[in-house]
Amino acid sequence: MKPTGTDPRILSIAAEVAKSPEQNVPVILLKLKEIINITPLGSSELKKIKQDIYCYDLIQYCLLVLSQDCSRIQGGWTTISQLTQILSHCCVGLEPGEDAEEFYNELLPSAAENFLFLGRQLQTCFINAAKAEEKDELLHFFQIVTDSLFWLLGGHVELIQNVLQSDHFLHLLQADNVQIGSAVMMMLQNILQINRSKRTKMLLEINRQKEEEDLKLRLQLQRQRAMRLSRELRLSMLEIVHPGQVEKHYREMEEKSALIIQKHWRGYRERKNFHQQRQSLTEYKAAVTLQRAALKFLAKCHKKKKLFASWRGLQELTDARRVELKQQVDDYVRRHLGSPMSDVVSRELHAQAQERLQHYFMGRAVEERAQQHREALMAQISTNVEQLMKAPSLKEAEGKEPELFLSRSRPVAAKAKQAHLTTLKHIQAPWWKKLGEESGDEIDVPKDELSVELETLFIGGTKPP
């Protein structure tokens, strides 16, 4: 079944392979290497490309090319080594889907066997080569083939058994050449490491499953033991209870069980509601704080507008209306002539007016500072209250959290210290001194002792004397 949304590059290569002659197929298949290399490793795009390559039988074409005679392939060992890389990368991380049985039982073992056969052919060519350059080139191709085989075994560890039982691999191990032998031994070491890691994972998985089974068995035994004890207890109770009171006993047990279930359920529900309400309360306080700040800002803006409103010019006043008003003012001044005033009296009146204005503005500044001080105190009180509500209890406090309970106000700190000393004195007093006292009575502490204690009192924001 062909997948939907196939990559157009894969479709182009598949069509070109189908139309081209047999000798050109290996070169066309090399285009897959460029597509695989430019795709990010481990991405979903690469996974989809591998599925498209498998669905259009391009992996099978690579396997068929590798099974042919090397001398007939265009490009020789260079093309073959690159095809082994393409085949190993396409087979690792591929999900064959419906053809999983054919892929795991036929295609993968055949690919591993072909890699070993190619390695054996390279070994023979390396031994028969006369020139050093040719030997180096063949050794490089042999290394590429072994790396491709190792990559394939790393993705499909079930092929290790097939490789170790292969006659081609045994022939590679019996090589007399040092370079080929060292490369084969390195590959064998890597294969054994993969097999060892696989066995370790299997052992860990077996141990984990065994622990889970043991845990299930222990839990089952505990449940059975608890049920057995419960039944024995019920039977012992039934032996004690009178036959006529059995139904009443059952009814009482059911009521107790229902009460226990209801108690736990209500506790859970209340705790859940408390956490939800706590979040809502925090959001409500935040909204109130924001609204208070916004209202104060708007009130200040409105107050400033009122101060400057009297200095605005009259709106919608025409020239004719201005002439009429000026005529009325002149007529009023002519009818109500004031008494003549000397320069000395005029200066005295001016000085008095300036003094009153200065007194007014100074009093206004003092009042504004007092108002700002009151607002700052109210804000500090609100902040302290909010911190105390969010602060943990003294039993759970750690680190610098107890500093949240300190106050910057000396009267508040002194009153707190006095209450603390009163409580301590009452606790440490002998029992015979507490006779006749009631819970609401207050105990006086001498002022001398209080002043001595307050000399070492630490108040937040100050230094001890």
Side-chain angles (χ1 to χ4, degrees), residues 257-423:
S257 301
L259 288 175
I260 293 173
I261 295 172
Q262 291 176 359
K263 180 179 69 175
H264 287 284
W265 165 248
R266 289 173 181 172
Y268 167 76
R269 184 181 60 186
E270 292 300 327
R271 285 192 297 272
K272 185 177 180 180
N273 293 336
F274 172 74
H275 289 298
Q276 293 178 353
Q277 292 175 1
R278 188 174 183 179
Q279 180 67 21
S280 302
L281 181 61
T282 304
E283 295 176 356
Y284 173 75
K285 288 182 179 179
V288 170
T289 303
L290 293 174
Q291 291 176 358
R292 187 186 299 116
L295 291 174
K296 286 183 179 179
F297 175 75
L298 294 176
K300 288 181 180 179
C301 294
H302 187 63
K303 188 176 181 181
K304 288 181 181 179
K305 288 181 180 180
K306 284 186 177 179
L307 290 175
F308 293 102
S310 58
W311 298 99
R312 294 179 181 177
L314 295 176
Q315 301 293 335
E316 301 179 359
L317 189 62
T318 61
D319 295 338
R321 180 60 178 166
R322 290 193 182 92
V323 172
E324 183 181 356
L325 292 174
K326 188 175 183 302
Q327 186 65 32
Q328 291 178 4
V329 171
D330 293 339
D331 293 341
Y332 181 83
V333 170
R334 281 196 301 269
R335 289 195 302 269
H336 303 82
L337 294 174
S339 58
M341 183 181 298
S342 62
D343 294 339
V344 177
V345 177
S346 177
R347 290 192 184 93
E348 290 179 356
L349 290 175
H350 182 70
Q352 292 176 3
Q354 291 292 333
E355 184 178 358
R356 291 183 178 180
L357 284 174
Q358 184 178 4
H359 180 71
Y360 168 74
F361 283 115
M362 288 180 63
R364 182 180 175 186
V366 172
E367 184 180 355
E368 288 181 354
R369 285 196 295 271
Q371 180 64 23
Q372 291 178 359
H373 183 63
R374 287 193 294 271
E375 292 178 356
L377 288 177
M378 291 298 294
Q380 183 179 358
I381 290 171
S382 300
T383 304
N384 292 337
V385 171
E386 186 175 356
Q387 288 180 352
L388 288 175
M389 290 182 66
K390 292 182 179 180
S393 62
L394 291 175
K395 294 181 180 179
E396 301 174 354
E398 296 179 359
K400 296 185 178 181
E401 291 180 352
E403 296 180 2
L404 299 174
F405 297 94
L406 297 178
S407 174
R408 297 179 180 272
S409 174
R410 286 179 177 271
V412 172
K415 181 65 177 176
K417 188 68 176 181
Q418 182 180 2
H420 181 64
L421 291 174
T422 302
T423 305

Side-chain angles (χ1 to χ4, degrees), residues 6 40 45 65 96 106 109 137 139 147 173 230 268 270 323 402 408:
T6 307
E45 182 182 0
V65 171
E106 298 180 9
E137 187 177 4
L139 182 63
D147 291 343
L173 289 175
S230 176
Y268 167 76
E270 292 300 327
V323 172
R408 297 179 180 272

Side-chain angles (χ1 to χ4, degrees), residues 161-179:
Q161 184 177 0
N162 297 339
V163 172
L164 296 177
Q165 295 176 356
S166 175
D167 295 336
H168 299 303
F169 185 71
L170 181 61
H171 188 276
L172 290 175
L173 289 175
Q174 296 174 355
D176 296 334
N177 187 271
V178 177
Q179 295 175 334

